[in-house]
Amino acid sequence: MAKQKLDAIDRKILEVLQQDAGLQMSEVASRVGLSQTPCWRRVQRLKEAGVITKNVMLLDPHKINVGVTAFVAIRTSTHTQDWFEHFKATVEAISEVVEFYRMSGEVDYLLRVVVPDIAAYDAVYKRLIAGTQLFDVSSSFAMEEIKFTTALPLSYLD
């Protein structure tokens, strides 16, 4: 769906759903000023166009015992496709890795890892380095979560 095809109502729908995808369609419709059926049709259109990709529930990490967040910066001296496929498979097999990015600059890859404690992180680290040849692995632990959101900015749709 091209930028110009998202009107103000579509944006309102996306704002509402990014805050609470579990709302009843009647509530979403009420918040955006539509009746239920046209609102549902718009949501379906946004899904079909790939603008809405998933409906998920966010969990409190502390209540499920994964309150420690580590950011893992990885550098490698190997940049072949075979190496990458092996590395990717290793990372994807580690459920504690919740985000995985290929980076520009000095760091080649950045991972966000959630675990209950440092000992659990050490076990993740050992699985990571056992699975792939890496040049450097540097970990930093979040001391405090100051901002966390899954809501994407919609102001760039103009």
Side-chain angles (χ1 to χ4, degrees):
M1 181 173 282
K3 290 179 192 178
Q4 61 272 19
K5 293 188 180 190
L6 293 179
D7 64 14
I9 300 291
D10 291 330
R11 289 185 189 129
K12 286 181 186 177
I13 290 170
L14 293 172
E15 286 174 14
V16 168
L17 292 177
Q18 283 193 104
Q19 294 305 312
D20 188 352
L23 290 174
Q24 295 292 323
M25 192 54 60
S26 59
E27 179 60 26
V28 175
S30 172
R31 291 185 188 191
V32 302
L34 289 176
S35 61
Q36 189 170 336
T37 301
C39 185
W40 179 85
R41 281 192 204 119
R42 282 178 179 257
V43 170
Q44 294 311 305
R45 185 173 45 88
L46 291 165
K47 286 179 179 180
E48 289 167 8
V51 175
I52 297 173
T53 59
K54 292 181 182 180
N55 295 342
V56 299
M57 295 290 175
L58 300 178
L59 308 178
D60 182 323
H62 299 283
K63 291 184 179 174
I64 60 168
N65 198 30
V66 288
V68 174
T69 298
F71 294 93
V72 183
I74 296 171
R75 293 188 313 154
T76 181
S77 56
T78 307
H79 296 278
T80 66
Q81 189 62 33
D82 287 342
W83 178 90
F84 173 73
E85 293 300 330
H86 181 74
F87 177 60
K88 180 180 172 194
T90 298
V91 171
E92 288 178 339
I94 301 172
S95 63
E96 293 89 346
V97 177
V98 295
E99 294 182 57
F100 175 27
Y101 300 95
R102 186 169 58 88
M103 306 295 290
S104 66
E106 293 182 24
V107 171
D108 294 309
Y109 300 94
L110 184 65
L111 312 178
R112 184 168 72 92
V113 176
V114 294
V115 290
D117 53 35
I118 301 301
Y121 172 74
D122 190 44
V124 168
Y125 172 82
K126 288 175 181 173
R127 290 193 330 245
L128 182 65
I129 64 171
T132 312
Q133 184 178 13
L134 303 171
F135 177 73
D136 183 56
V137 179
S138 176
S139 304
S140 298
F141 294 89
M143 301 298 292
E144 178 183 13
E145 183 180 280
I146 297 168
K147 179 180 179 180
F148 175 84
T149 183
T150 61
L152 299 176
L154 300 174
S155 58
Y156 294 97
L157 288 172
D158 294 342

